[in-house]
Amino acid sequence: MISSKYTIREQNEAKILNFIIQNKEISRAKLSELSKLNKASVSSITKKLMDIDLIFETRIGDSSNVGGRKPIMLSFNKRSSLLLALDIGYNYIEAALAYIDGTIIKSISQKDKLISSENAISVIEETVRNLTADLPETPHGIVGMTLAIHGQVSNEEIIFTPYYDLDQLDLFTELGARYAFPIYIENEANLSALGEYTFSSEYEKLIAISMHSGIGAGIVEAGKLHLGKDGKAGEIGHTIFQPHGKACPCGNSGCLERYGANEVIYSELRELKGLEKVNSDVLVRYYEEKDPETLALLQKYSDILSVGINNIIMMYAPEIVVINSSITRKIPITIDFIKERVANRLAADVIIKNTSLGENSTLYGALAFTAQKYLNIERLKLAE
Ligand SMILES: [Zn+2]
């Protein structure tokens, strides 16, 4: 496997490259105007970017003034390099191989797969082997792999994972020894936020709330993740919902996620109906049958979540809150319930919606993370 020989280190290179990415097609004169760099600098930077295959000349453009020289247009080479992304849940793994612009070439989804420190490395190796079995030819090959972990991550180190024991493992070192390309490890909710920022949203201040076994929030502003000390920012699931309430693996009691996580709703429905196993599909079935107990449960669940969502809006004043949950995605009325309960005037202009990246927002975030690192562009927007 090849790792890239090239990195974009210089700020002006990254700046010019980002203007080219954002403008689809642009002339050197226009680049000079936008970047406020002189034409000679723009020429030498675009030459370098062409030499390393990150951009190419597309066509002769229209001349802007009568008798003026017709400009040559430049575009981003969306096929220059490859990205790997893995979302590692405690009971599933989702993975993708994509081009640098996020276009997915191949994806793998394994549901009901229990992940632990015992099998994580071999599962990751097998997944990467399958994804890269038949790699398309690109100038740079694979330029990085980002792993989404459901827990606290800081500087590529997994600090605390309440629902599986990956915190027992030095994944960064283990994988670094196996692969030539850079490895990045980041929290799942953070990546979900970055995925939304990069691939789907026009907004600059964004919060993404991920709900699975726990509840986490990712906060992005101008392409930069707000991580806090040791990556602990955005742990909305461990804000207190009920003083002295249910015990939580974090060591405290009464945390929001002990009341509002998807798994909690599933187990309540399981008990109510005497069922063996409940997941979002079972919940949807009861909802579609207009089962009164299920409707009451959904209303209660939305009320609980709205407390956390209201609080994080008051803390960070985002333009938009996107929700990444199989329940709100399959039963969109729950979003309306939540909006009704966030009635606060200070939150009146905040958009609350399901993620438009569907169940893949974390995976897209992992792709975005590698692309940001490789291209050295923080405010990277790759939405079409
Ligand atoms: Zn807790």
Side-chain angles (χ1 to χ4, degrees), residues 62-357:
D62 307 318
S63 58
S64 46
N65 52 329
V66 181
R69 202 141 60 98
K70 289 190 176 177
I72 299 167
M73 306 305 279
L74 298 165
S75 283
F76 179 47
N77 179 6
K78 297 173 179 177
R79 300 287 177 266
S80 70
S81 27
L82 301 166
L83 312 168
L84 283 170
L86 272 73
D87 175 11
I88 305 170
Y90 83 93
N91 62 352
Y92 72 87
I93 182 161
E94 301 273 348
L97 169 75
Y99 286 111
I100 189 76
D101 71 332
T103 303
I104 290 179
I105 300 161
K106 189 172 179 184
S107 60
I108 288 175
S109 168
Q110 267 188 286
K111 308 268 186 209
D112 293 320
K113 173 95 187 166
L114 283 179
I115 308 287
S116 69
S117 59
E118 305 262 296
N119 68 358
I121 303 270
S122 62
V123 170
I124 292 167
E125 278 188 308
E126 193 198 334
T127 307
V128 171
R129 204 158 42 238
N130 289 336
L131 283 176
T132 57
D134 193 15
L135 278 188
E137 196 78 30
T138 54
H140 299 182
I142 296 168
V143 296
M145 171 164 80
T146 298
L147 309 178
I149 299 294
H150 297 234
Q152 187 199 341
V153 178
S154 178
N155 295 320
E156 320 304 343
E157 193 189 337
I158 303 173
I159 312 275
F160 175 56
T161 47
Y163 298 97
Y164 50 8
D165 68 344
L166 293 195
D167 45 8
Q168 301 303 309
L169 204 58
D170 184 359
L171 265 184
F172 182 70
T173 307
E174 292 283 347
L175 297 173
R178 285 168 170 82
Y179 300 111
F181 43 75
I183 308 288
Y184 306 104
I185 301 177
E186 192 42 81
N187 166 270
E188 164 274 334
N190 285 344
L191 290 176
S192 176
L194 194 64
E196 197 73 27
Y197 176 88
T198 308
F199 290 107
S200 136
S201 166
E202 74 222 66
Y203 301 100
E204 288 294 324
K205 290 178 207 291
L206 175 150
I207 291 177
I209 299 180
S210 290
M211 302 173 197
H212 308 286
S213 36
I215 304 176
I219 304 151
V220 190
E221 195 162 340
K224 194 175 172 58
L225 281 170
H226 177 79
L227 299 170
K229 183 178 177 288
D230 301 330
K232 282 185 282 199
E235 289 291 350
I236 180 182
H238 300 285
T239 56
I240 305 294
F241 176 73
Q242 188 76 66
H244 311 294
K246 295 187 206 171
C248 180
C250 76
N252 211 337
S253 55
C255 294
L256 181 73
E257 70 181 40
R258 304 300 294 137
Y259 298 84
N262 292 4
E263 297 291 344
V264 178
I265 314 304
Y266 300 153
S267 76
E268 270 193 52
L269 188 65
R270 196 162 56 225
E271 271 176 36
L272 270 174
K273 304 294 179 190
L275 299 170
E276 203 130 292
K277 193 182 167 196
V278 171
N279 56 23
S280 57
D281 294 328
V282 176
L283 185 68
V284 167
R285 219 152 50 230
Y286 278 100
Y287 167 71
E288 283 173 350
E289 286 165 7
K290 299 195 168 54
D291 173 62
E293 282 178 328
T294 304
L295 284 172
L297 191 61
L298 286 169
Q299 186 73 62
K300 182 176 91 172
Y301 155 84
S302 307
D303 274 4
I304 294 167
L305 292 179
S306 68
V307 173
I309 292 169
N310 178 77
N311 291 354
I312 202 164
I313 291 174
M314 291 307 104
M315 298 291 289
Y316 288 99
E319 293 165 274
I320 180 168
V321 176
V322 293
I323 297 177
N324 171 17
S325 153
S326 47
I327 296 179
T328 60
R329 191 164 59 244
K330 291 174 186 178
I331 310 175
I333 197 167
T334 51
I335 296 283
D336 298 330
F337 292 162
I338 291 168
K339 281 197 221 163
E340 268 166 37
R341 298 288 288 122
V342 182
N344 186 330
R345 263 196 221 120
L346 296 166
D349 59 350
V350 180
I351 298 160
I352 301 173
K353 66 187 265 289
N354 271 316
T355 165
S356 41
L357 297 171

